[in-house]
Amino acid sequence: MLLVAAWGMEWQPDEQGLQQVLQLLKDSQSPDTATQRAVQEKLEQLNQFPDFNNYLIFVLTSLKSEDEPTRSLSGLILKNNVKAHYQNFPPNVADFIKRECLNNIGDPSPLIRATIGILITTIASKGELQTWPELLPQLCNLLNSDDYNTCEGSFGALQKICEDSSELLDSDALNRPLNIMIPKFLQFFKHCSPKIRSHAIACVNQFIIGRAQALMDNIDTFIESLFALAGDEDSEVRKNVCRALVMLLEVRIDRLIPHMHSIIQYMLQRTQDPDENVALEACEFWLTLAEQPICKEALSGHLVQLIPILVNGMKYSEIDIILLKGDVEEDEAVPDSEQDIKPRFHKSRTVTLQHEGGEDEEGEDIDEDEDDDDDTLSDWNLRKCSAAALDVLANVFREELLPHLLPLLKGLLFHPDWVIKESGILVLGAIAEGCMQGMVPYLPELIPHLIQCLCDKKALVRSIACWTLSRYAHWVVSQPPDAHLKPLMTELLKRILDGNKRVQEAACSAFATLEEEACTELVPYLSFILDTLVFAFGKYQHKNLLILYDAIGTLADSVGHHLNQPEYIEKLMPPLIAKWNELKDEDKDLFPLLECLSSVATALQSGFLPYCEPVYQRCVTLVQKTLAQAMMYSQQPDQYEAPDKDFMIVALDLLSGLAEGLGGHVDTLVARSNIMTLLFQCMQDTMPEVRQSSFALLGDLTKACFPHVKPCIAEFMPILGTNLNPEFISVCNNATWAIGEICMQMGVEMQPYIAMVLNQLVEIINRPNTPKTLLENTAISIGRLGYVCPQEVAPLLPQFIRPWCTSLRNIRDNEEKDSAFRGICMMIGVNPGGVVQDFIFFCDAVASWVNPKDDLRDMFCKILHGFKEQVGEENWQQFSEQFPPLLKERLAACYGV
C-alpha cells in the first residue's frame, strides 16, 4: 500500500489510504492474537510512510463520522509513534500535527479532548517545549475562551504538561513561563465550573514539591485561595485541596503553622469525607504531619477527635470485602493467577559479626509494609493509610495515645460484627511498635483472646489475627514458654494448614517472624513444626509455596545445628529435593528455593552431605549458563537477550551456604568443577550484587578448602583491592572480609599483597558515617594483616589505632576478634610509639574481652605493664585517673594495673 495525498495548500487524505487506516484501527480492537500480530506488522509497514501520521491526526481531529473510541485510538497510536520516532517526522508533518492539535483542543467530546491533550504533552516532552514556543502562550490564551470545551480542553492539556515537564517549566531554558502561568492558574480557583477549578489546583500542585520560585512568590495567595475552596461541593476539588495542603506541610510548613488549628479541624472533617478518594488524600495529612518536629505540639489537643476517626477508617469497606472475596472461606484448591504473584528480590549475602548482647542489631529488617494482610488490594486505600497513620502516631506519642484508644479497643475487639472486630485487631497490631510499653499490662489478657481469634469463622479475622500476633511475638517469647508461646505456636501451625489461602499466607509470614524472635526456644517442638511445614508443601498453591520456603529457611537460620538430626532431615529434605528436581533452570521459583536450601545447608552442616552433589553441580551450571549468556549478549546485543543475573547471584549464595555448612567436605566437589575460573569472572562482573556474592563465596571457600584457592591468589588480590570502594557498601564489606580470611590462610606469604589493600582499608576505617558492619570487618582485616605481616603494617598504627579500638570493643569474643587482637599486639611490639597517643582506647578495647585465651591475656598484660613501667608510677596514676570507673575496675581485676 502507498499513502499518497495532496499537500497543496493544506494536506488532504487519499480516500483509499484513509480506508486502509480505518480498517487497521478496527482490526486493532479485535481480541484475537493473530489479528493483533497482523496489526503490529501492518503498523511497522505504514510507519515507513511519512504522512501515515497525518492520516492518524486526521482521523482523531477531523473525521467526525467515526465513533469516538476509534478516533481516540488513532490518536493513541500517533502518540506511540511520536514517542518512538518523532525525531524522524518531516517538518511539514510535525507542523501539521501540532496545528491540528491546537485547533481542536476544544472538541465537544471529553474523550477526544483528553486524547489531544495526551498527544500535546507527548510532543512537548520530546524536547519540543523549546521548539514549540507558541504552545504555552496559546494554551494559556485559550483558557480565556467563553467556550467551556475550549477552556477545559486547554486546561487538561496544561495539567498534563505541568505533570510531565514541571522541572523544565521552572527553568531559565524557557524564560520562566511560570511567572505568567501560576498567577493565571490562581485566578481560575474561583471559576464557576468545578472541573476547571479542579484543573487549576492540580496544575499549581505540580510545583509545590519542587518549590518553584514563581509559586513561592505567590505562596500566600495560593494558601488563601485553597482556604476559600475548603467547603467546595465538588469532591475532585476537595481532593486536590487536601493534596495541596499535604504537600505544603512538607515544603512550607512555616506558612501553615499560623493556621494549623483550623487546618487540622478541616482535615479531621475531610478524613471522614463521604468520597473515599477525598478521605484518603486527607488521611495522608496525618502521616506527613507525624514526620514533622511540630507534630506532638500541634496534635496533642486533637487526639481525642483524631483517634476515633482513624480507627473508624480501619474497617474494610464493602467494596474491599467484595474484592477480597471476604465471604469465600475455602479457596485452597483454586490455583493462583500469575499476576497475583509479586516479583521477589533476592537479598545478596552480607557477612556480619556477632555482637555483645546477643542479637545483631543491624540484622533487623523493619517491615515497611504496614498492613501486610491485604496486599492483594496492594493499591493504597483508606484502611491502609489510616493504619499507617496510627502506627506512626503511636511512635510519636507512645503511651499518651492509649487513654484515647483503650476505651475504644474494648468495644471493637469483642464486637459481634466481624468487620468491626477485625478492625480492632488491626488497631492492636498497628500500635504494637509505638505503644508496646504501655500495652504490656494488658497483654496477658489480650494475647489469649487474639489466639482465640485465630479460630474465628471468618477468614479475614483469622488472617489479621496472625499479623497482629506476629507484632507482639517479641513479648510472647519473653514470657515462660507454656504461658503463650506454646499455645500461639500450636494455633499458628493449624492456620498454616488453613483452608483459606490468605490465612495460609498470613500464618506463614507470622510464623517466620515468631521463628526469628524465638530462635532455639523452638527446638523442643521441631518435630511438630516440620510435620506441619512439610504437610503444607503438598497443600499450597504457587504463591504461598514461595512464602513457605521462606518460613523453612528462617526456621533453619533460627535453630541452626539443632536441625541436624536424622529424623528431622528425613522429614524435611525429600519434599525440598522433589521441588528442586521439578523446577527448570529458567524458573524464577528457584530463587526462594535456593535461598531456603542455602539456610538449610548451613544449618544441617554434615547432615546435608547426601544431598550436596546434585545441588552443588546445579549451582555451578546456573553460574556458567548466566555468564555464557551475558557474554553472548555483550557481543551481540541485538541477537541475544540480557540474562537475569539473579540466577547467578542466588546460586553463588547457595554455594556459600554449602561451603559454610560442609566445611572441608566441599573439597572434592570444588576439585571436580571449574568454580575457581567462574569465580574469577564473577568477581569482575559489572553488577555490584554479583561481585558481593562472589566475595562472600571466595571467603567461604578460603575457610573450607584453601588449597584450591591458593593458586589463584595472585590473580584475585588485585581485584579485591579495586573493590575496596565504600560507595558499594556490601561489595566492599564482603571483599574486606575475604581479605581477612585469605590472610589467615596465607600467613607470611601474604607479604607481596599487603600494598594492594592496606591503604584503602586504613582510609575506610577513618571515614565518617561508615556502617558499623563495614567498620568491624575492616578492623578485623587490618588486625589480621598485622598478625601475618607485622613489619609491613605496624608503621601505620597511629593512622588507625583509635577507630580500630572503638569499632571492635562491642564485638563478642570469637576467633575473628582473637586473631585481630593478636595482630594489634604484635604490631605494638614492632612500633610501641604508634599507640602512645591513643593508649586509653587500647585499654578500653582490651577491657571488652570477657575470656581471652591465656596466651592472648599474657600479651595484653605485657603491653599494659610495659606501658606503665615506661611512663612511671606517677604518670600512670595521672593517666588512669581519666578512666571511667568500670574500665579501671576491669583492668585492675584482670591485668593487675
Side-chain angles (χ1 to χ4, degrees):
M1 126 172 190
L2 194 63
L3 293 171
V4 275
W7 267 103
M9 283 303 289
E10 193 48 70
W11 182 89
Q12 286 298 321
D14 165 72
E15 192 48 45
Q16 206 188 340
L18 187 58
Q19 287 315 315
Q20 290 193 350
V21 173
L22 288 172
Q23 188 54 50
L24 179 78
L25 292 169
K26 290 276 178 285
D27 290 346
S28 66
Q29 294 172 60
S30 146
D32 175 51
T33 39
T35 315
Q36 284 300 337
R37 219 170 298 135
V39 167
Q40 280 312 316
E41 282 171 26
K42 191 80 173 170
L43 273 175
E44 291 188 3
Q45 279 174 349
L46 292 177
N47 269 319
Q48 305 308 307
F49 300 97
D51 63 350
F52 172 45
N53 294 303
N54 291 33
Y55 282 86
L56 292 173
I57 188 80
F58 179 81
V59 174
L60 172 66
T61 58
S62 309
L63 204 58
K64 309 277 203 272
S65 54
E66 283 300 316
D67 62 81
E68 288 178 11
T70 302
R71 290 172 58 199
S72 170
L73 181 64
S74 181
L76 294 173
I77 291 175
L78 176 54
K79 175 206 75 163
N80 290 337
N81 283 349
V82 167
K83 259 194 156 135
H85 325 287
Y86 189 72
Q87 61 287 359
N88 307 331
F89 283 21
N92 51 6
V93 173
D95 289 339
F96 181 62
I97 294 171
K98 291 176 181 175
R99 203 163 50 247
E100 284 295 293
C101 282
L102 284 173
N103 290 341
N104 292 282
I105 193 72
D107 192 283
S109 149
L111 177 63
I112 301 298
R113 291 201 297 272
T115 311
I116 294 175
I118 290 172
L119 189 51
I120 289 176
T121 187
T122 310
I123 296 173
S125 56
K126 280 304 230 182
E128 285 288 308
L129 268 178
Q130 280 100 321
T131 49
W132 192 358
E134 67 275 21
L135 172 64
L136 294 172
Q138 247 177 307
L139 286 176
C140 285
N141 266 341
L142 291 170
L143 295 181
N144 302 332
S145 164
D146 294 335
D147 173 46
Y148 168 78
N149 292 337
T150 306
C151 178
E152 197 279 324
S154 310
F155 240 135
L158 279 166
Q159 183 178 334
K160 293 183 182 87
I161 294 171
C162 291
E163 284 167 11
D164 293 341
S165 310
S166 61
E167 285 183 11
L168 187 58
L169 291 171
D170 187 34
S171 68
D172 285 329
L174 299 176
N175 213 351
R176 305 229 168 245
L178 290 185
N179 294 339
I180 298 159
M181 289 163 68
I182 283 189
K184 177 118 191 151
F185 295 154
L186 289 171
Q187 290 167 7
F188 283 87
F189 277 35
K190 303 186 183 63
H191 195 277
C192 60
S193 150
K195 188 95 201 276
I196 303 285
R197 293 198 296 276
S198 184
H199 278 311
I201 310 169
C203 283
V204 180
N205 281 357
Q206 296 307 320
F207 302 102
I208 300 176
I209 295 295
R211 301 170 189 260
Q213 193 51 53
L215 177 55
M216 294 302 131
D217 296 342
N218 289 284
I219 196 82
D220 292 328
T221 319
F222 176 42
I223 291 173
E224 280 160 34
S225 312
L226 285 174
F227 288 167
L229 292 174
D232 203 285
E233 76 283 355
D234 182 79
S235 62
E236 201 54 31
V237 172
R238 294 198 302 269
K239 186 176 97 177
N240 281 325
V241 170
C242 290
R243 184 172 289 174
L245 289 169
V246 171
M247 291 190 285
L248 286 167
L249 196 55
E250 282 185 50
V251 175
R252 289 305 304 262
I253 194 166
D254 57 314
R255 307 316 278 163
L256 297 186
I257 286 176
H259 316 283
M260 197 50 91
H261 182 78
S262 41
I263 294 175
I264 288 173
Q265 287 305 323
Y266 174 67
M267 286 299 190
L268 286 167
Q269 244 179 327
R270 287 287 72 84
T271 309
Q272 306 171 79
D273 199 282
D275 181 317
E276 181 172 327
N277 293 318
V278 180
L280 178 56
E281 283 297 337
C283 193
E284 296 279 353
F285 181 82
W286 315 113
L287 261 180
T288 307
L289 184 57
E291 289 164 1
Q292 304 297 328
I294 65 152
C295 175
K296 218 168 172 169
E297 180 193 343
L299 269 186
S300 308
H302 302 280
L303 287 179
V304 63
Q305 292 161 284
L306 173 60
I307 299 302
I309 294 172
L310 290 178
V311 167
N312 195 39
M314 287 164 75
K315 293 201 296 277
Y316 276 126
S317 65
E318 286 173 33
I319 185 87
D320 289 342
I321 295 171
I322 295 164
L323 288 173
L324 287 169
K325 307 189 175 58
D327 49 349
V328 179
E329 289 302 319
E330 290 249 343
D331 62 356
E332 63 174 345
V334 184
D336 295 327
S337 70
E338 285 311 301
Q339 64 264 37
D340 287 348
I341 298 171
K342 288 199 286 205
R344 291 180 72 270
F345 298 102
H346 171 70
K347 262 183 66 199
S348 313
R349 241 175 133 89
T350 312
V351 187
T352 55
L353 297 166
Q354 289 279 294
H355 285 81
E356 280 305 332
E359 284 317 292
D360 178 3
E361 58 267 44
E362 299 233 344
E364 288 179 24
D365 280 307
I366 306 306
D367 198 352
E368 289 299 331
D369 182 7
E370 192 26 65
D371 180 8
D372 296 319
D373 70 308
D374 38 352
D375 57 4
T376 32
L377 279 189
S378 58
D379 46 345
W380 195 230
N381 56 22
L382 184 60
R383 165 186 166 89
K384 291 189 160 193
C385 190
S386 306
L390 188 60
D391 182 3
V392 289
L393 290 171
N395 277 298
V396 172
F397 285 95
R398 304 276 165 189
E399 282 60 63
E400 293 168 40
L401 218 54
L402 293 178
H404 305 288
L405 256 177
L406 290 172
L408 292 173
L409 257 177
K410 276 230 159 58
L412 299 173
L413 287 170
F414 298 92
H415 202 282
D417 177 351
W418 75 266
V419 177
I420 296 177
K421 174 167 156 183
E422 193 277 346
S423 71
I425 301 172
L426 173 57
V427 168
L428 200 53
I431 60 169
E433 197 189 338
C435 303
M436 183 60 88
Q437 282 324 103
M439 287 306 295
V440 165
Y442 307 97
L443 292 178
E445 218 175 314
L446 280 174
I447 297 295
H449 176 63
L450 286 172
I451 293 174
Q452 222 176 333
C453 293
L454 289 173
C455 313
D456 195 275
K457 59 182 192 302
K458 281 310 228 187
L460 289 171
V461 174
R462 300 199 296 278
S463 62
I464 196 67
C466 290
W467 177 74
T468 293
L469 279 160
S470 75
R471 303 267 291 175
Y472 290 96
H474 186 76
W475 180 84
V476 167
V477 172
S478 71
Q479 304 299 300
D482 286 350
H484 305 289
L485 178 61
K486 213 167 158 185
L488 171 58
M489 193 180 56
T490 313
E491 283 310 313
L492 262 185
L493 289 170
K494 286 185 198 159
R495 288 295 68 81
I496 285 179
L497 304 180
D498 200 277
N500 180 280
K501 291 195 288 192
R502 162 178 305 282
V503 179
Q504 294 171 356
E505 178 185 357
C508 248
S509 300
F511 196 71
T513 306
L514 185 63
E515 289 170 340
E516 286 175 344
E517 290 290 349
C519 292
T520 49
E521 296 277 333
L522 297 178
V523 173
Y525 317 107
L526 266 174
S527 182
F528 182 37
I529 294 171
L530 287 169
D531 284 339
T532 306
L533 297 179
V534 169
F535 192 78
F537 251 108
K539 194 175 165 73
Y540 276 14
Q541 297 295 341
H542 186 181
K543 179 183 176 189
N544 287 350
L545 261 181
L546 307 182
I547 298 164
L548 181 63
Y549 294 143
D550 182 53
I552 292 172
T554 308
L555 179 67
D557 295 337
S558 303
V559 300
H561 65 92
H562 296 285
L563 199 56
N564 187 7
Q565 298 291 333
E567 62 155 324
Y568 301 154
I569 296 174
E570 278 156 33
K571 286 180 202 271
L572 181 57
M573 288 310 295
L576 284 176
I577 294 297
K579 276 289 170 217
W580 169 264
N581 293 330
E582 206 178 290
L583 293 177
K584 300 201 173 37
D585 280 352
E586 296 70 52
D587 194 327
K588 286 202 162 59
D589 283 9
L590 273 175
F591 299 166
L593 179 56
L594 285 159
E595 281 175 46
C596 168
L597 278 170
S598 179
S599 296
V600 170
T602 309
L604 289 185
Q605 297 172 349
S606 59
F608 198 78
L609 269 176
Y611 309 95
C612 65
E613 180 130 10
V615 173
Y616 180 88
Q617 285 311 335
R618 185 166 194 181
C619 288
V620 173
T621 308
L622 283 169
V623 174
Q624 200 153 9
K625 275 188 178 175
T626 313
L627 284 172
Q629 202 183 333
M631 175 73 88
M632 295 192 303
Y633 172 71
S634 69
Q635 288 165 357
Q636 296 171 291
D638 42 345
Q639 307 276 317
Y640 295 99
E641 274 190 31
D644 181 344
K645 289 190 178 171
D646 274 355
F647 283 103
M648 173 156 74
I649 296 168
V650 182
L652 289 166
D653 287 347
L654 177 44
L655 287 169
S656 282
L658 287 175
E660 192 183 333
L662 298 173
H665 296 296
V666 79
D667 191 293
T668 46
L669 296 171
V670 173
R672 289 203 302 260
S673 70
N674 59 341
I675 187 66
M676 297 317 294
T677 318
L678 298 176
L679 197 52
F680 182 62
Q681 288 172 269
C682 293
M683 286 163 54
Q684 298 174 82
D685 197 272
T686 48
M687 189 175 175
E689 290 79 3
V690 175
R691 301 200 301 275
Q692 174 183 340
S693 293
S694 4
F695 295 137
L697 177 55
L698 174 60
D700 282 318
L701 290 174
T702 298
K703 289 171 81 164
C705 54
F706 189 64
H708 297 295
V709 180
K710 195 170 182 185
C712 314
I713 290 298
E715 287 184 292
F716 285 3
M717 283 308 298
I719 302 175
L720 285 164
T722 47
N723 278 280
L724 295 177
N725 168 10
E727 216 174 299
F728 301 105
I729 290 292
S730 303
V731 180
C732 183
N733 178 68
N734 289 3
T736 304
W737 174 74
I739 290 168
E741 291 301 336
I742 290 169
C743 253
M744 297 311 286
Q745 301 289 342
M746 292 283 284
V748 235
E749 293 176 65
M750 194 69 188
Q751 198 263 326
Y753 308 109
I754 300 262
M756 293 179 186
V757 297
L758 182 58
N759 285 329
Q760 294 95 303
L761 292 171
V762 171
E763 202 174 310
I764 292 167
I765 204 168
N766 281 293
R767 270 186 48 158
N769 305 327
T770 303
K772 210 162 70 204
T773 308
L774 178 54
L775 284 178
E776 291 161 0
N777 276 319
T778 307
I780 299 276
S781 290
I782 292 175
R784 289 179 156 188
L785 285 168
Y787 178 61
V788 295
C789 300
Q791 295 294 340
E792 280 69 19
V793 187
L796 274 67
L797 261 178
Q799 292 176 38
F800 63 75
I801 185 71
R802 179 183 286 201
W804 190 94
C805 291
T806 46
S807 57
L808 288 187
R809 64 186 301 273
N810 298 321
I811 300 291
R812 282 195 215 168
D813 295 6
N814 63 21
E815 282 307 309
E816 293 172 309
K817 184 169 175 173
D818 179 275
S819 55
F821 271 83
R822 287 171 192 274
I824 276 292
C825 293
M826 292 171 72
M827 289 187 274
I828 292 175
V830 174
N831 178 16
V835 287
V836 172
Q837 288 302 303
D838 299 299
F839 199 69
I840 185 165
F841 291 93
F842 176 72
C843 296
D844 177 57
V846 165
S848 75
W849 277 87
V850 185
N851 303 310
K853 293 186 181 150
D854 290 345
D855 59 336
L856 182 60
R857 183 190 299 263
D858 294 343
M859 290 163 105
F860 291 158
C861 231
K862 202 167 134 206
I863 292 172
L864 292 170
H865 283 280
F867 186 82
K868 187 175 170 179
E869 281 159 29
Q870 191 73 37
V871 296
E873 189 64 42
E874 195 180 326
N875 286 334
W876 176 262
Q877 281 311 317
Q878 268 180 328
F879 174 66
S880 57
E881 280 309 300
Q882 309 162 34
F883 290 0
L886 199 66
L887 175 58
K888 238 185 178 148
E889 262 167 57
R890 274 195 102 154
L891 290 177
C894 303
Y895 304 99
V897 288

